[in-house]
Amino acid sequence: MSETNSAAEAAAPHRYTAAMAADIEARWQDFWDAEGTYEAPNPTGDLAGDPELAAKPKKFIMDMFPYPSGAGLHVGHPLGYIATDVFARHQRMTGHNVLHTLGFDAFGLPAEQYAVQTGTHPRVSTEANIENMTAQLRRLGLGHDKRRSFATIESEYYKWTQWIFLQIFNSWYDTEADRARPIDELVAQFESGARPTPDGRDWGALSAVERADILSEYRLAYASDAPVNWSPGLGTVLANEEVTADGRSERGNFPVFKAKLRQWNMRITAYADRLLNDLDGLDWPEAIKLQQRNWIGRSEGARVDFPVDGADAITVFTTRQDTLFGATYMVLAPEHELVERIVPDAWPEGTHPVWTGGHATPAEAVAAYRKLAAAKSDVERQAEAKDKTGVFTGAYATNPVSGEKVPVFIADYVLMGYGTGAIMAVPAHDARDFAFARAFELPMRCVVEPSDDRGTDPSTWDDAFASYDAKLVNSANEEISLDGLGVVDAKAKITEWLKEHGVGEGTVNFRLRDWLFSRQRYWGEPFPIVYDEDGVAHALPDSMLPLELPEVDDYSPRTFDPDDADTQPETPLSRNAEWVNVTLDLGDGPKKYRRETNTMPNWAGSCWYELRYLDPRNDEKLVDPAIEQYWMGPREGQPTGGVDLYVGGQEHAVLHLLYARFWSKVLHDLGHISSSEPFHKLYNQGMIQAYVYRDSRGIAVPASEVEERDGKFYYQDEKVSRVLGKMGKSLKNAVTPDEICAEYGADTLRLYEMAMGPLDVSRPWDTRAVVGQFRLLQRLWRNIVDEETGAVTVVAADPDEETLRALHKAIDGVGRDMAGMRFNTAIAKVTELNNHLTKTGGPVSRSVAESLVLLVAPLAPHIAEELWRRLGHTGSVVHQDFPVADPAYVVDETVTCVVQVKGKVKARLEIPPTISDEELEAQALADPAVVAALGGAGIRKVIVRAPKLVNIVPA
């Protein structure tokens, strides 16, 4: 503290200073913890409490799960936590039973990578980080119900994560009922013959392996051999959503390759339509809804089968089935399972040399090209490369409408991740197909009449012609003609023809792929799955949960050269033979089993944590149905139920939010919860940014040591550049909340973060500006407490009318702003009222002082609690009623309206501020001074700007 501040404190021993703020804040935080001030009662169970409070309207407010970083918090992290706390406090004061708490999402890569680097066990470092973060958050005065907090690494928690996985594993999606059902019901259908097996044999005649393989095609959680995103540098596979647009790992920025591995998947695609349709009923930002819609990617089209000699037909999905007559070749993704079956021993006679890639046989050409394609990410493969690459498989397929033989290629611009992994190429009307056809000298046929003057010979074109508003041409055979039809009618006609002839049908496709759910890591939830000697997967019974993560000596995954695609994962758990190989009795006697050695991804724990907050100590059920119904059940305005307010960053638009929605829908279908959506209202807060200063080498320098001189910036006398960016330890511009709390107090930090601007907009941090909110609190304190004696200075006398108007306008405005999460404007209104009281000079009326404290309470709870107690109250300010504005004082009694004739002021009217345009015009025209000014002239126009201006233009 500076000498000036010390002197001021000595002169005024009861002034609100950083030291006083620290004392006040520590005392009230201890009081709130001891009294359970923020404990929200459940309607029943071990957390049931005050029945009157439980009878109030509920409000469930949540922040997105924080990950306990070793670096601790900087001032950007608590922005959302403070905002939800302010909102939750206001909701308590307006008559709600508010559930607000915070846990920790603690499994995942960061802790494991830190453990590998330092030799510290992930649990040790994670628990230390949680302890540190908890202390930092407590200092902010957040009103959390601490009884409900937990970390996902607690076995009592991940017992239920494993249990949910087993519910998903033991379920299938009944498309007729449009919901998930227990797998036992499907087995019963097979046993009774109501549902035939794929080859028609009786269910009882099938082996255990054959039955397991059939059920795996239905289960919502299943293991399969499939192309995956393999990151050698991380030593694990990744979900599509965890791969960046540059084809690298989101965590660590390592190269990602395609590999074929046996992995666990979640059949999220079964819910694609519901995930899409139910977005309409959610109160989410439209930008987030759009991102989810695009990710799900629903498209209507047709499935078309192209017969191949000596093999199964190649099935394609197309949204332009009307152009089928223009398909002159086909392309398979290099990974397509049919490739190996259709490749002949030798090139067909007359094969174009350009198609072979210079290889002697189709098998050699395909193998070489597959190796090249495997080294590229999906993003790289879809990029608009100037040179198209591919190779002829040596096989031909038959176009089902034209009867023509069309060559089948493999090319990296076709992906297994969309449609069927195969396309019919219509080069005249698709830009990528056009470029490929030109590169490989393939034929083109115009089947959509160009609207420009290019003609109908594609060999003369410079590019493809694609249009949905054109007529079909050259599209007829002996049975059907599309010529002259528009696209819509042509689609309908050809789709009907395809179905009649058994070579296709109308269908819907989705961009969404099943969710890859395996990770080759140690620090994650173990799968509650064991394999018998035949490799059949068995679910552990509920009585064996939780399956705890074992202690291992070496928890580092096996990583490889980041650029070496020819590698295979090796999981840390696989090295623990004693844990992997077990003898268990699963109901049919003791047998030997092998445990699953992959672990669940870090998303698993955050897919359902909102439910654990409701009933955190329940060891018998996932959640008590009555408790879930109370807090999250469907109700008016919330048809799918869910959390009332969920606040977090928009970076989770797809990953976490989509996964959590999927889990909620499965649990809802199976009758475990009443809500089919986890989060009803979503709010994305902006980011607190900070200036990054870099020297001539581009290296960040400590922002706190940079000096500004004449608009330029210097570090140790060297000129540095400045750019606004993220705040972080590595950028050397992080400011910790501890620093600000020590300098000014937590209430000042809370006020500053809420006052910086609209909550959903990013804004730059400026430590020098924090003092403005500190001064607001000092003025608030001085208006109620004498700085010399510490005595309360309020008086019993009623306030004057001007003060009453200022007070009730503030109450009305702050209340509206709080409800709308416009905390910056709420603070502006509190400041305006406080300044008014300061300017009056005299002691403040008790009724005004108490209302002012209540207005401030959600924003700066510590000083509000202290002042409330000093004003003589014994109950906590937390549960007091928020002030209610008197409408009579909210509006001004009268407003002066200027009336102009020919642009000159002719009258001034005192009128109510709520007057309508019509009423104001009538009064102005009737005013004697206006009548005299017009002198009987007609009126051409009257411009009314109620309540302050009327402009009359004579004829």
Side-chain angles (χ1 to χ4, degrees), residues 174 473 691 717 737 827 843:
D174 185 343
V473 295
Y691 286 111
D717 290 327
I827 292 170

Side-chain angles (χ1 to χ4, degrees), residues 4 28 53 169 214 282 302 418 495 508 524 537 561 580 678 680 684 728 732 740 748 755 768 776:
T4 304
W28 285 111
L53 183 53
F169 172 72
I214 291 172
L282 300 180
Y418 180 76
T495 302
V508 174
D561 180 335
V580 173
H680 172 70
N684 295 131
K732 300 182 181 178
I740 303 302
T748 295
R768 294 168 300 180
L776 167 61

Side-chain angles (χ1 to χ4, degrees), residues 624-668:
D624 184 298
I627 295 172
E628 188 272 336
Q629 174 71 46
Y630 173 83
W631 288 111
M632 290 185 63
R635 62 203 66 221
E636 186 176 354
Q638 298 183 16
T640 52
V643 173
D644 295 290
L645 176 65
Y646 192 41
V647 175
Q650 57 184 328
E651 65 271 15
H652 297 296
V654 172
L655 290 160
H656 157 60
L657 291 173
L658 196 63
Y659 297 158
R661 295 181 65 214
F662 167 56
W663 278 37
S664 284
K665 291 186 183 303
V666 177
L667 291 171
H668 170 78

Side-chain angles (χ1 to χ4, degrees), residues 433-676:
D433 295 346
F434 185 94
F436 190 90
R438 278 285 163 86
F440 288 88
E441 301 178 20
L442 289 157
M444 304 188 202
R445 180 178 296 112
C446 174
V447 293
V448 180
E449 188 174 41
S451 56
D452 51 26
D453 59 0
R454 68 174 67 196
T456 58
D457 181 4
S459 67
T460 65
W461 297 356
D462 294 326
D463 55 16
F465 174 77
S467 174
Y468 278 88
D469 187 21
K471 301 291 185 186
L472 273 294
V473 295
N474 301 324
S475 298
N477 61 26
E478 293 180 356
E479 298 180 9
I480 184 173
S481 174
L482 306 181
D483 291 346
L485 296 179
V487 172
V488 174
D489 292 338
K491 279 186 175 184
K493 189 171 182 178
I494 193 64
T495 302
E496 185 178 348
W497 187 91
L498 290 168
K499 186 174 183 181
E500 288 175 355
H501 287 72
V503 291
E505 62 180 345
T507 188
V508 174
N509 195 57
F510 294 91
R511 178 180 180 269
L512 180 69
R513 299 293 89 195
D514 282 345
W515 172 17
L516 180 66
F517 200 70
S518 295
R519 297 296 182 272
Q520 292 66 47
R521 313 295 300 196
Y522 167 71
W523 195 233
E525 298 92 340
F527 281 94
I529 293 288
V530 292
Y531 299 92
D532 62 23
E533 293 178 341
D534 294 323
V536 174
H538 297 265
L540 291 182
D542 292 355
S543 60
M544 291 187 182
L545 301 181
L547 172 60
E548 297 197 21
L549 191 65
E551 296 295 322
V552 297
D553 295 328
D554 181 9
Y555 35 76
S556 60
R558 185 180 178 191
T559 58
F560 304 87
D561 180 335
D563 296 306
D564 187 358
D566 296 325
T567 48
Q568 291 279 316
E570 179 188 293
T571 63
L573 290 179
S574 67
R575 298 193 286 264
N576 188 337
E578 185 178 344
W579 183 83
V580 173
N581 301 301
V582 291
T583 298
L584 301 173
D585 186 349
L586 301 184
D588 54 354
K591 293 183 180 179
K592 292 181 178 180
Y593 294 96
R594 175 178 53 84
R595 295 196 192 277
E596 171 63 69
T597 60
N598 288 311
T599 53
M600 298 185 198
N602 59 301
W603 307 104
S606 60
C607 277
W608 72 281
Y609 70 119
E610 71 283 355
L611 297 171
R612 192 61 175 176
Y613 283 155
L614 307 182
D615 199 8
R617 294 199 288 265
N618 194 333
D619 197 44
E620 301 298 321
K621 292 181 180 178
L622 177 73
V623 60
D624 184 298
I627 295 172
E628 188 272 336
Q629 174 71 46
Y630 173 83
W631 288 111
M632 290 185 63
R635 62 203 66 221
E636 186 176 354
Q638 298 183 16
T640 52
V643 173
D644 295 290
L645 176 65
Y646 192 41
V647 175
Q650 57 184 328
E651 65 271 15
H652 297 296
V654 172
L655 290 160
H656 157 60
L657 291 173
L658 196 63
Y659 297 158
R661 295 181 65 214
F662 167 56
W663 278 37
S664 284
K665 291 186 183 303
V666 177
L667 291 171
H668 170 78
D669 287 357
L670 298 177
H672 299 300
I673 58 176
S674 65
S675 52
S676 58

